[in-house]
Amino acid sequence: MKEESDHIKMRWMELILAAFFAGIGLLVVIDSFRTGYRWSSEGPQPGYFPFYIGCTLILGAIVVAVQTTLGWKKSENLEPFVTFAQLRLIMTILIPTSLFVLGVVLIGFYVSSVLFISSFMVWQGKYSLLKSGLVGLCVSGVLFLLFDVWFLLPLPKGPLETFLGY
Amino acid sequence: MDSLNNLFQGFAVALSFQNFGLMLIGILLGVLIGVLPGLGGANGVAILLPLTFSMTPVSGIIMLSCIYWGALFGGAITSILFNIPGEPWSVATTFDGYPMAQKGRAAHALTTAFTSSFVGALFAILMVTFLAPVVAKFALKFGPPEFFAVQLLTFCSFVGMSKEPPIKTLLSMMLGFALASVGMDSVTGTLRMTYGQESLLQGFDFLIAVIGLFGLCEILLTMEEGLSFQGKHGRISLRDVVETWKELPKYWATSLRSCLIGCWMGITPGGATPASFMSYGVAKRLSSTPDEFGTGKIEGVVAPETAAHAAGTSALLPMLTLGIPGSPTAAVLLGGLLIWGLQPGPLLFTEQKDFVWGLIASMYLGNIVGLIVVLTTVPWWAAILRIPFSIIAPVIVVICAVGAYTVHNHLLDIGLMVIFGILGYAMKKLKYPVAPLVLALVLGDMAESSFRQSMLLSDGDLLIFFKSGLSAGITILALTLLLLPIVIKIRQLFRRV
């Protein structure tokens, strides 16, 4: 049981994802009771298809869960879902991405992407601050020209853009 | 030979210096729109429509249609290089295009995609030139039952024998259907599964799901391998283009079949997106090595690209002849026609000869110019793959975010995209296929509403799908495709016993 500590096992993730599917199924079924799940004289009611879709999701998830539990012992030596070393690598992009998304809401799209791109370059690529900053500014600038100026599709703005008059 | 005479006159119109320039600008703008996720062909054409108001109608339509061709070409570029489909119709191109790029065959994949697009478009234009009035009558026969039959057929031709466990395929597909049904129900206006969240009113747009499931998920998987795109060292030159061209004639059967599927789906307003999925599915089913699909098979790029372009081009046919747009972009072009004071319909062909044949001639020229433009830029596009991952990864994330945001201008969608990315990662690791989810999400909504509209027409009688010869034929074909593998399986079982 030594290797238990350095990875997440496939079988646990199977169960978690199955639970996710079942949860979605349950949400769908509950809502279809409200909207009507029967076949009326005008054909299916709004909840008719969702009802069966939800049921299938729940049943399917149960099947997967049962299969996983029955093969619990056998799956002992299966390759891991993810090792913690890999998970750490994934987090090095996932956490900055989440911060970037949060940044889009708080300080606007353009500033957030400059910060995201340049800091990731400095942190992971070991580029100089100047180079990284320039790449970030260029990408943001091109996107600004493309979307805000030429195609007139404004992206979310923050305090800096308001200050500059956009 | 009246058509030919008219066509030559049309070439004379389209080849004027000014129109040719507009054609080039249109193609370049179109490729740009196609490459940027979130800016669709319809979107792009709509935004640029005002630019053309000061032009003569002929110049205007030439430029707009060239933007459209450009967007059709450009959609493939990001699909192949980053697994991020720039356009809905290039989703099916990612299935084999991206694995090809990973194996270091990015240039081959791009050349294949562009060439197939060109072949599909050319086939459709030839058809438009010679069959326009005859074929257009066909589209008039399409009602809800026929639409449903076509969507069912797309579905059945795609749901094949996948390698993944059947139960997981089923779960993935059902999740797609469930997500597709969120939001305002298009038949009764009832809100479904919004649970009081206003932002869910419009439902889940499949583009957001696709950007997360494909684009972001790919970044996560690449990170796990440790900061590098695989196969990025492939050297790219004009030789690759020639090499690919030598290889392509082998796939003439796939190509021809995809042309026919595409034209048919374009005229009967099925659209480019279902056409590409259907064509991919059919190619996989009829292939002698279906298991190789999804691993970087060249046919897997030929089939969807040819069909998407054939459909996208032939969609203009019902628009010109009947005023029925065969695709969203065609609908925007139709709006343009009306603004220029032209009334689409059979009379257009007699009263506005210059306009109609100028447009048709510009289809030929536009596609040739488009092919040359994108092919000469293949090395540039493929060179993007050589940029170090620590630079390209955050840039791709930013572009994904733009794509997700511009679909509905909702900030929440960017967050959703991240969640879809994580979901995609977990699904991939646990061997859940993602394609059925996307297909269900794309077609689920359309299929349900045409099904229920048919039910309204027939007072809940399922036999409506067998009433007209057209829908009966398509439905039976669809059911055969669906049931055939099961029947074969059962027969094999009996033989063993």
Side-chain angles (χ1 to χ4, degrees):
Chain A
M1 284 294 178
K2 263 181 274 166
E3 80 273 35
E4 212 46 66
S5 51
D6 71 344
H7 64 259
I8 298 173
K9 280 218 187 306
M10 210 52 124
R11 55 192 186 196
W12 282 111
M13 276 314 289
E14 285 286 8
L15 288 186
I16 291 173
L17 199 62
F20 169 78
F21 278 115
I24 300 274
L26 199 63
L27 280 178
V28 173
V29 169
I30 291 171
D31 191 71
S32 57
F33 281 125
R34 183 179 63 79
T35 48
Y37 62 97
R38 291 203 175 80
W39 191 281
S40 71
S41 59
E42 282 147 5
Q45 290 177 326
Y48 180 82
F49 286 110
F51 177 73
Y52 289 100
I53 291 165
C55 288
T56 320
L57 273 173
I58 296 172
L59 284 178
I62 291 174
V63 172
V64 171
V66 169
Q67 276 177 349
T68 316
T69 337
L70 287 181
W72 197 259
K73 276 276 150 56
K74 253 192 275 171
S75 68
E76 184 64 46
N77 298 318
L78 231 57
E79 77 180 275
F81 175 77
V82 67
T83 64
F84 286 132
Q86 287 173 325
L87 194 64
R88 203 166 303 129
L89 280 172
I90 291 170
M91 284 305 158
T92 54
I93 184 89
L94 201 57
I95 291 172
T97 300
S98 313
L99 289 177
F100 159 68
V101 173
L102 193 70
V104 171
V105 181
L106 297 177
I107 53 174
F109 181 85
Y110 297 109
V111 182
S112 185
S113 25
V114 173
L115 291 178
F116 173 52
I117 294 171
S118 9
S119 55
F120 191 82
M121 277 177 70
V122 171
W123 181 38
Q124 287 296 321
K126 308 277 178 273
Y127 290 95
S128 71
L129 209 56
L130 180 73
K131 223 180 197 173
S132 313
L134 274 178
V135 172
L137 278 176
C138 284
V139 172
S140 242
V142 168
L143 286 177
F144 176 75
L145 283 179
L146 279 175
F147 284 90
D148 268 77
V149 180
W150 291 335
F151 292 125
L152 300 176
L153 280 177
L155 296 176
K157 310 261 185 340
L160 181 72
E161 286 93 343
T162 325
F163 176 74
L164 291 174
Y166 275 100
Chain B
M1 285 298 97
D2 207 25
S3 297
L4 269 186
N5 267 336
N6 288 327
L7 184 63
F8 283 121
Q9 259 173 14
F11 273 116
V13 176
L15 268 177
S16 79
F17 186 67
Q18 190 206 358
N19 287 347
F20 195 74
L22 287 175
M23 212 180 277
L24 265 180
I25 297 172
I27 295 276
L28 286 173
L29 279 173
V31 173
L32 186 68
I33 287 169
V35 169
L36 294 169
L39 261 183
N43 239 335
V45 173
I47 293 161
L48 297 171
L49 192 60
L51 280 184
T52 61
F53 288 160
S54 55
M55 303 175 187
T56 62
V58 187
S59 305
I61 192 88
I62 286 176
M63 180 161 161
L64 286 182
S65 59
C66 280
I67 293 172
Y68 184 38
W69 313 138
L72 282 168
F73 275 118
I77 297 174
T78 44
S79 313
I80 289 172
L81 295 184
F82 303 125
N83 213 7
I84 307 168
E87 299 292 337
W89 53 75
S90 9
V91 173
T93 311
T94 60
F95 298 158
D96 275 279
Y98 183 69
M100 274 182 85
Q102 275 185 315
K103 288 181 184 165
R105 288 166 47 89
H108 296 85
L110 286 171
T111 313
T112 307
F114 296 149
T115 316
S116 314
S117 310
F118 176 72
V119 171
L122 194 67
F123 188 90
I125 304 165
L126 282 172
M127 191 204 57
V128 171
T129 314
F130 296 105
L131 294 177
V134 189
V135 183
K137 278 187 194 128
F138 197 61
L140 271 183
K141 293 203 181 120
F142 256 63
E146 282 80 10
F147 275 118
F148 177 72
V150 168
Q151 284 141 3
L152 188 69
L153 180 61
T154 312
F155 215 79
C156 295
S157 60
F158 196 75
V159 178
M161 319 128 268
S162 61
K163 282 171 284 177
E164 281 83 3
I167 185 79
K168 293 188 169 174
T169 311
L170 185 73
L171 273 175
S172 166
M173 192 192 299
M174 287 301 147
L175 182 64
F177 277 130
L179 291 175
S181 61
V182 173
M184 180 104 69
D185 165 27
S186 53
V187 179
T188 58
T190 319
L191 291 181
R192 295 193 294 192
M193 280 158 274
T194 53
Y195 286 96
Q197 292 289 314
E198 233 172 85
S199 46
L200 287 180
L201 273 182
Q202 286 160 301
F204 286 95
D205 195 283
F206 82 98
L207 268 176
I208 295 158
V210 162
I211 292 171
L213 287 171
F214 288 79
L216 202 64
C217 167
E218 204 55 52
I219 299 265
L220 297 182
L221 286 168
T222 315
M223 272 314 273
E224 181 187 292
E225 305 284 314
L227 287 181
S228 70
F229 266 125
Q230 286 164 344
K232 61 178 177 174
H233 297 299
R235 284 181 57 206
I236 283 124
S237 64
L238 261 177
R239 219 185 47 227
D240 295 324
V241 176
V242 179
E243 246 172 51
T244 317
W245 277 354
K246 275 191 195 142
E247 204 179 327
L248 282 179
K250 266 193 275 177
Y251 307 110
W252 64 272
T254 309
S255 199
L256 183 66
R257 205 167 47 226
S258 308
C259 284
L260 292 172
I261 292 174
C263 285
W264 188 66
M265 294 290 275
I267 298 165
T268 65
T273 311
S276 61
F277 276 110
M278 188 190 275
S279 171
Y280 184 88
V282 171
K284 184 173 173 182
R285 267 166 180 271
L286 295 181
S287 161
S288 52
T289 51
D291 283 351
E292 283 174 24
F293 274 81
T295 60
K297 205 170 159 52
I298 216 163
E299 276 176 276
V301 178
V302 172
E305 280 295 312
T306 312
H309 258 227
T313 309
S314 48
L316 294 186
L317 179 62
M319 178 201 88
L320 284 175
T321 48
L322 297 167
I324 303 171
S327 73
T329 314
V332 180
L333 288 176
L334 183 73
L337 286 191
L338 296 175
I339 291 171
W340 295 315
L342 297 171
Q343 187 60 48
L347 284 179
L348 197 66
F349 277 80
T350 46
E351 285 174 1
Q352 298 284 343
K353 270 198 176 140
D354 263 9
F355 177 81
V356 171
W357 292 101
L359 170 63
I360 292 177
S362 86
M363 288 181 178
Y364 285 97
L365 295 171
N367 269 294
I368 294 170
V369 174
L371 182 69
I372 295 169
V373 168
V374 285
L375 274 183
T376 45
T377 49
V378 162
W380 299 350
W381 300 118
I384 299 177
L385 283 180
R386 289 203 285 268
I387 300 174
F389 190 70
S390 51
I391 301 177
I392 204 77
V395 173
I396 292 178
V397 171
V398 166
I399 291 175
C400 285
V402 176
Y405 176 77
T406 44
V407 176
H408 291 313
N409 290 343
H410 277 170
L411 279 169
L412 186 77
D413 287 343
I414 307 183
L416 269 178
M417 171 199 83
V418 177
I419 293 170
F420 273 115
I422 300 169
L423 177 68
Y425 174 80
M427 285 176 72
K428 203 147 199 176
K429 279 284 182 111
L430 296 173
K431 301 207 167 52
Y432 282 84
V434 182
L437 194 165
V438 176
L439 186 74
L441 193 49
V442 175
L443 285 180
D445 228 8
M446 291 198 269
E448 195 200 346
S449 61
S450 36
F451 180 83
R452 286 173 53 202
Q453 279 163 6
S454 326
M455 287 297 104
L456 286 177
L457 286 176
S458 70
D459 289 327
D461 186 4
L462 279 174
L463 286 177
I464 188 168
F465 298 113
F466 297 96
K467 271 215 177 105
S468 85
L470 199 57
S471 72
I474 307 170
T475 313
I476 290 169
L477 184 64
L479 293 178
T480 322
L481 271 176
L482 187 69
L483 298 176
L484 204 60
I486 304 173
V487 174
I488 292 172
K489 269 264 164 65
I490 293 174
R491 267 183 58 185
Q492 281 172 344
L493 274 181
F494 271 104
R495 260 185 214 160
R496 250 179 246 157
V497 175

